[in-house]
Amino acid sequence: MSDLVESFYSRVPVLDETPPPALSPEDRQRLLKSYYPDYRPEGKATLRVGPNAGTVVPEEIATLLESRSRLQGTRIIPDHPDREVDVLIIGGGGAGITAALYAAEQGVSVLLATKLRVGDSNTVMAEGGIQSALGEGDSPVEHFRDTFRGGHGENDPTLLSVLVSEGPRMVEWLVSRGILFDRDPQGNLSLRKGGGTSRPRLISAKDYTGLELIRVLKEDVVNSPVDILEFSPAVELLQGPGGACAGAVLWDLDSRKNIFVKARTVILATGGTGRLHLGGFATSNHFGATGDGLCMAYRMGAKLVHIDSFQYHPTGVIFPSEMAGMLITEAVRGAGARMYNVLGRRFVNELETRDVVASAIIRECSEGRGVPTPSGAFGVYLDLASIDRDAGEGTVTKRFPNIVKLMTRHQVDPTKVPILVYPTLHYQNGGIRTDENAHTSIRNLLVAGEASGGLHGTNRLMGNSLLELFVFGRRAGLEGSKEARERAPFSWKEVSLAHVENFEQALAREFEGAERPIAPSLFPDYRRKDS
Amino acid sequence: MDSLPKESHTLVHVSINGRDYEVPAGSTMVQAMWYTGHEVIHGIGCLGGVCGACATVYRMKGDFRLRNALACQTLVQDGMSFSMLDSYPIQRAHYDVAALTDPKEELFTFYPESATCRNCNACTEVCPQGIDVRDAVWRANFGDFKAVAELTMSCVMCGLCVSRCIAEMAPHEIALYARRAYGAKELPFPSNLKTRLGEIEAGTFSREMNHLLSLSPAELKKECEVKS
């Protein structure tokens, strides 16, 4: 492999630092409409069944939503539930853990069920940071404006005002648990700049922000009264009296048996959809990001929002191919990294919003100015060496030790040579429609984190997803426990999978009996097909 | 990372869980498992080198040395024999960081084995992140939690250090304790955060925020200079 890397890097052109032309608002619109995958007509389908029927979405999302249950055959509910709890939380990433910690503090019984281990999530992979307006001359109001502008004005203003106003208090919650964010010499939290923001506002732990968060929060949830069930993804929600949610069916990956859980409230914290590889894109997401929560909630009738909007992070590694999809944090561009096409020319201001930068990269590659890889893919150069030139030798290694470590393992020294990047499927901007107390349109079904929608509009700014996990994870945990206490008792006999039957009947009618796929898939299958 | 390396057409010989296979050169260990039809569930998390799920033990043909790696980050080589260590059993202390009163002493309450390090350095040699684990354990014992924090920031909690420790301790858990105690008990509360919390508490931004929330969608877009 090292021969391959060496021969690839022997062809890097002279990099010309001349700034790229500035974009007018019209230029940005044209760029997005022409190249951003959300706005392209190919690979799309119109939903025909369910609460969002009529919406045009990526084909892979239509397949996920208009699917049959994993529970096939006669759906017999056992005489007694296997578990009975006040609050069931599905998903063990940042939002699920936060919800679990807050719910448990309220004295209700909490079961946290997750697909892999607690903490295996997109949260643990977050590199760049948490956005919170702590700087002088900054304020939650500026944070609101930047986010609303970045989200193309499609954000739910109420959700956004909660995010920016409660953000600092959640940062306090994290600091008090001993999470080590970078500090300036005066002991303040260091604030860094991300794309699309008017002020430096990112709080980070070098480029290990998510890892640092999860290491600590995982220890706390393991040490809390929360009951934890790992390797047990949910495959279906259960319906109770009046159409309210009444629990879930989990699938034990080891015993390969269903676990029926009766719950007074259910909080979905199932994360995103990167492993569905929309449009064939590589992804930065963890192995279990297959949109399970969307699929289960949709069958129950939950309304989704902005489910046609996804974030393709501009800078995913594209060469060497075994690293495909791995993210190079936007913070490197905030720190002065530059991008070049095959001619060695800059082609976009590196601090435009993510969708604009991604579109510009796709444009370069589709107009013949991309850098070819040995396997026939294309990318552009992301050069970190300018950071060391601007801020002093050693800055890259000090601020981005993880990137240096990961790339060096594959014989690419990012302090010396540029990294080849191409947009990688990173984040689901929309999701299950929610309000400021984490409600969905289904009673006793709450949602938090990437699975939820409305907050980010149609383009998320860096650092707002980590903040969202804590602000709305907390609210979901508090509201979920309150609802669990207030809910009128109901019998297991009133619990059913009627919504699944109804949804499948609607599918059969609309698709005229044509076989529909089964979902959630739980994992991508990368095994060689003929093995 | 997903299915397979796309550049390579040559095959190498490997042994996975004791069975021989041929897999494409340039595959990671995890990709080699997929290529050979394994359904990997235990032992996969982020596929990006930070979650610590894929700790793996391997040897090279003709070499007695036992080596360790993260399977999603390590390319197979001809003659490699490997098995994943899905989960290494550990004893984790039960503590509340906020309730610590004398963290440096309490380390020996929660992790008394920490003081029994015999300096063999096996933990440092095995660490896939290149952390000087032995040094971190000693710094923790001497109460220099700041140094522990700096030394172990890149720890992915894979537990390979535990697998080699002759004193049978869990260095990664000890380091986590020391880092947390340092952050929660030694570092002063950040003053920019304190200032902003005070301002929010006092309602400094309420008027402006309420103004934004009172606007119609079109007015709000104009106010926030939405360009689209």
Side-chain angles (χ1 to χ4, degrees), chain B residues 3-206:
Chain B
S3 46
L4 284 174
K6 295 169 182 79
E7 291 96 348
S8 172
H9 303 289
T10 51
L11 297 174
V12 295
H13 296 273
V14 297
S15 166
I16 303 173
N17 297 330
R19 180 172 166 188
D20 294 335
Y21 296 99
E22 286 191 323
V23 301
S27 309
T28 64
M29 291 170 163
V30 171
Q31 286 174 324
M33 294 189 76
W34 289 331
Y35 183 80
T36 52
H38 290 81
E39 187 181 16
V40 195
I41 289 173
H42 291 270
I44 289 196
C46 73
L47 296 171
V50 295
C51 80
C54 61
T56 298
V57 57
Y58 72 97
R59 285 186 205 272
M60 298 303 298
K61 194 172 186 179
D63 186 345
F64 70 92
R65 274 172 294 192
L66 192 61
R67 303 163 198 249
N68 294 85
L70 298 177
C72 79
Q73 293 295 304
T74 308
L75 300 184
V76 293
Q77 297 170 56
D78 197 47
M80 183 183 258
S81 173
F82 68 90
S83 303
M84 292 181 99
L85 296 174
D86 298 338
S87 163
Y88 210 87
I90 49 142
Q91 186 76 24
R92 183 189 272 124
H94 198 292
Y95 67 97
D96 173 5
V97 74
L100 298 176
T101 52
D102 186 359
K104 292 174 186 182
E105 273 308 308
E106 286 163 284
L107 168 67
F108 303 109
T109 312
F110 298 121
Y111 294 109
E113 67 276 22
S114 179
T116 66
C117 170
R118 284 177 249 165
N119 249 330
C120 75
N121 211 40
C123 53
T124 299
E125 285 167 25
V126 75
C127 179
Q129 295 293 86
I131 295 168
D132 190 340
V133 185
R134 186 201 61 87
D135 192 24
V137 169
W138 279 100
R139 302 277 188 157
N141 284 332
F142 287 120
D144 186 356
F145 288 1
K146 179 172 193 269
V148 179
E150 283 162 3
L151 282 165
T152 64
M153 193 58 182
S154 68
C155 174
V156 295
M157 309 291 284
C158 69
L160 281 171
C161 50
V162 191
S163 76
R164 295 295 187 90
C165 180
I166 56 171
E168 299 165 309
M169 71 179 75
H172 63 312
E173 297 289 342
I174 292 166
L176 175 60
Y177 170 86
R179 280 197 309 271
R180 295 192 63 177
Y182 173 64
K185 297 292 175 180
E186 283 187 47
L187 273 178
F189 192 80
S191 54
N192 54 351
L193 177 57
K194 192 174 173 193
T195 305
R196 186 53 36 86
L197 288 168
E199 289 167 349
I200 291 172
E201 184 74 16
T204 310
F205 311 109
S206 307

Side-chain angles (χ1 to χ4, degrees), chain A residues 117 133 138 145 149 177 183 188-189 208 215 219-220 223 254 275 287 321 324 405-406 409 528, chain B residues 1 6-7 35 42 45 51 73 94-95 128-129 153-155 179-180 188 191-192 196 223-224 228:
Chain A
R117 307 168 306 163
D138 197 4
R145 289 173 190 275
R149 195 182 309 122
R177 307 183 101 75
R183 304 283 189 110
N188 290 308
L189 294 175
Y208 291 111
R215 284 187 301 218
E219 183 171 63
D220 278 345
N223 281 342
D254 294 317
R275 288 283 159 188
F287 190 54
S321 78
K405 191 189 301 288
L406 294 176
R409 276 183 188 144
R528 190 164 52 125
Chain B
M1 175 172 63
K6 295 169 182 79
E7 291 96 348
Y35 183 80
H42 291 270
C51 80
Q73 293 295 304
H94 198 292
Y95 67 97
Q129 295 293 86
M153 193 58 182
S154 68
C155 174
R179 280 197 309 271
R180 295 192 63 177
S191 54
N192 54 351
R196 186 53 36 86
E223 172 78 26
C224 295
S228 43

Side-chain angles (χ1 to χ4, degrees), chain A residues 4 8 11 318-321 324 365-366 368 370-380 420 422, chain B residues 4-9:
Chain A
L4 203 60
F8 176 80
R11 293 192 295 271
I318 187 87
F319 175 82
S321 78
C365 293
S366 57
V371 182
T373 76
S375 62
F378 288 89
V380 298
L420 198 72
Y422 190 78
Chain B
L4 284 174
K6 295 169 182 79
E7 291 96 348
S8 172
H9 303 289

Side-chain angles (χ1 to χ4, degrees), chain A residues 422-445:
Chain A
Y422 190 78
T424 179
L425 180 55
H426 185 53
Y427 192 80
Q428 170 188 300
N429 291 323
I432 302 166
R433 186 188 281 282
T434 183
D435 69 9
E436 69 271 26
N437 287 316
H439 296 120
T440 68
S441 56
I442 306 292
R443 273 184 296 132
N444 300 100
L445 179 67

